């Protein structure tokens, strides 16, 4: 198979573009909605929103490639079925695709916005340090929760870029924007946590999931708490922007569905419990962001 066909198989397993497009556009749109000045509308920023979407996807692919490099030995030992380990695609090929993506990413942003590019460079610099595991690999790898947290921050630095590409003079003096930043933090944590919740049948000796570290019940409780915090932050922003009761009820409904998926997973009676939880985590994530966008229209 040629590289494009092999990459298509790779992305379905390790970088699911069909899902990432929806989760990414939702956070891009909600970021644009909260950063807009009075009287401004999203339709005035179609180009900025499109560039932010492409940049975010390429940036996340960059993080994925760095992860493939830094986790190579670990994955070779514990996850031999992954694309790189089974020889579907090589690290060199992924690096080549990543370099092409970075050239596109920075070329577009340098032309469009110098200030946004500066934020992007800071975020990029952090990914390089994270890719080297902060030069304390043996120490930080042993601290599972800290290790995942500092890697999670890679996408938080990108959030400054998202605000800037829409509104170069954004300020956290805007209380809704400050709350939105925390909202994004917990939403990213929500997806990350859901991704690493597995059933007992799915666990292996690698023990690289939250469920393996603290058990299914405790991990489920923490995940439920994250869902509730996300909804609390959403509620605060929503009623500052809009008081549409119907939209709020829809948001409450998505929270209930997310909680149901946690109960379904935590019961440990279903082999597909983790898959259901992850699907509804993505839907909840998208709904929370898009309901903010709709409330601003």
């Amino acid at each position: 198979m040629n590289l494009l066909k092999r990459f298509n198989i790779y992305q379905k397993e390790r970088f699911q573009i069909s899902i990432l497009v929806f989760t990414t556009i939702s956070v891009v749109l909600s970021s644009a909605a909260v950063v807009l000045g009075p009287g401004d509308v999203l339709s005035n920023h179609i180009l900025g929103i499109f560039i932010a979407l492409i940049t975010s996807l390429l940036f996340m692919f960059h993080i994925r490639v760095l992860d493939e490099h830094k986790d190579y030995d670990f994955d070779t030992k514990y996850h031999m079925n992954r694309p790189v380990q089974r020889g579907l695609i090589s690290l060199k090929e992924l690096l080549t695709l990543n370099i092409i993506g970075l050239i596109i990413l920075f070329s577009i942003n340098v032309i469009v916005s110098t200030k946004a590019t500066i934020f992007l460079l800071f975020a990029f610099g952090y990914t390089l340090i994270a890719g080297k595991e902060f030069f304390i690999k043996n120490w930080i790898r042993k601290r599972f929760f800290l290790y995942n947290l500092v890697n999670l921050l890679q996408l938080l630095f990108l959030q400054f870029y998202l605000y800037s590409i829409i509104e170069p003079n954004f300020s956290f003096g805007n209380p809704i924007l400050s709350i939105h930043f925390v909202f994004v933090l917990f939403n990213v944590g929500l997806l990350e946590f859901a991704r690493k919740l597995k059933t007992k049948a799915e666990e292996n000796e690698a023990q690289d999931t939250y469920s393996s570290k603290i058990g299914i019940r405790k991990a489920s409780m923490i995940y439920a708490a994250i869902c509730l915090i996300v909804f609390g932050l959403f509620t605060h922003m929503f009623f500052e922007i809009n008081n549409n009761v119907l939209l709020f009820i829809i948001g409450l409904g998505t929270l209930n569905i997310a909680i149901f998926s946690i109960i379904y997973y935590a019961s440990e009676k279903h082999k597909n419990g983790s898959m259901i939880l992850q699907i509804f985590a993505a839907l909840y994530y998208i709904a929370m962001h898009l309901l903010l966008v709709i409330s601003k229209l």
Side-chain angles (χ1 to χ4, degrees):
M1 291 186 290
N2 63 37
L3 178 57
L4 289 179
K5 287 183 179 179
R6 288 185 285 116
F7 176 74
N8 186 46
I9 297 172
Y10 170 84
Q11 64 86 16
K12 288 178 181 178
E13 296 181 37
R14 301 290 286 156
F15 188 73
Q16 296 172 307
I17 296 173
S18 59
I19 296 174
L20 285 170
V21 165
F22 291 102
T23 55
T24 305
I25 191 60
S26 66
V27 70
V28 168
L29 287 173
S30 79
S31 299
V34 299
V35 82
L36 291 179
D40 203 354
V41 292
L42 287 173
S43 58
N44 292 336
H45 300 274
I46 298 299
L47 177 61
I49 289 169
F50 178 73
I51 292 171
L53 172 62
I54 299 302
T55 297
S56 298
L57 289 172
L58 291 173
F59 189 85
M60 287 188 289
F61 178 65
H62 164 67
I63 294 174
R64 174 75 271 159
V65 173
L66 291 182
D67 284 349
E68 292 286 8
H69 278 78
K70 73 179 181 181
D71 294 337
Y72 178 77
D73 292 337
F74 183 87
D75 288 347
T76 298
K77 183 176 181 180
Y78 295 111
H79 300 289
M80 280 299 296
N81 62 323
R82 288 182 174 172
V84 172
Q85 279 62 40
R86 67 175 190 263
L88 174 70
I89 194 167
S90 70
L91 291 177
K92 184 177 180 180
E93 288 171 323
L94 287 174
L95 181 60
T96 299
L97 292 173
N98 184 40
I99 290 172
I100 294 170
L102 289 173
I103 291 171
I104 295 171
L105 180 157
F106 282 108
S107 297
I108 293 173
N109 282 280
V110 165
I111 294 171
V112 173
S113 173
T114 302
K115 190 169 184 179
T117 303
I118 292 172
F119 283 116
L120 194 56
L121 284 169
F122 274 109
F124 176 71
Y126 187 84
T127 65
L128 296 182
I129 297 172
K132 292 294 183 181
E133 301 194 302
F134 306 93
F135 305 100
I136 47 173
K137 179 177 180 178
N138 293 332
W139 184 85
I140 200 166
R141 276 271 180 172
K142 295 176 182 177
R143 289 154 177 82
F144 182 76
F145 290 92
L146 176 62
Y147 177 73
N148 282 285
L149 175 61
V150 294
N151 279 291
L152 200 65
L153 293 177
Q154 294 178 87
L155 291 178
L156 262 295
F157 282 106
L158 184 65
Q159 190 61 30
F160 293 105
Y161 161 80
L162 292 183
Y163 295 139
S164 182
I165 194 69
I166 303 299
E167 174 49 68
N169 298 315
F170 78 91
S171 169
F172 282 113
N174 177 352
I176 292 183
L177 195 62
S178 299
I179 294 170
H180 184 266
F181 185 79
V182 179
F183 172 75
V184 171
L185 169 64
F186 277 96
N187 266 294
V188 172
L190 182 145
L191 288 185
E192 166 64 16
F193 213 90
R195 190 172 67 87
K196 293 186 177 180
L197 291 180
K198 302 294 183 183
T199 61
K200 288 183 178 179
E202 294 172 303
E203 300 284 11
N204 59 32
E205 59 179 323
Q207 293 193 323
D208 54 353
T209 62
Y210 296 107
S211 47
S212 67
K213 294 294 183 182
I214 58 176
I216 287 176
R217 297 297 173 88
K218 287 183 179 179
S220 297
M221 290 175 66
I222 293 174
Y223 176 66
I226 295 172
C227 287
L228 291 171
I229 291 171
V230 165
F231 191 76
L233 294 167
F234 162 80
T235 299
H236 183 87
M237 289 186 291
F238 181 85
F239 284 109
E240 285 290 326
I241 299 171
N242 197 321
N243 58 1
N244 188 312
V245 176
L246 177 59
L247 287 179
F248 180 74
I249 291 174
I250 293 173
L252 187 59
T254 62
L255 172 64
N256 289 331
I257 293 172
I259 296 298
F260 168 78
S261 73
I262 299 169
I263 296 170
Y264 183 84
Y265 162 75
S267 68
E268 301 182 54
K269 297 177 182 179
H270 312 281
K271 292 181 180 180
N272 62 347
S274 61
M275 181 185 70
I276 295 295
L277 183 140
Q278 289 163 28
I279 290 172
F280 284 118
L283 292 175
Y284 181 59
Y285 176 99
I286 293 169
M288 289 292 94
H289 283 290
L290 290 187
L291 284 171
L292 279 180
V293 178
I294 296 171
S295 70
K296 192 68 181 278
L297 298 178

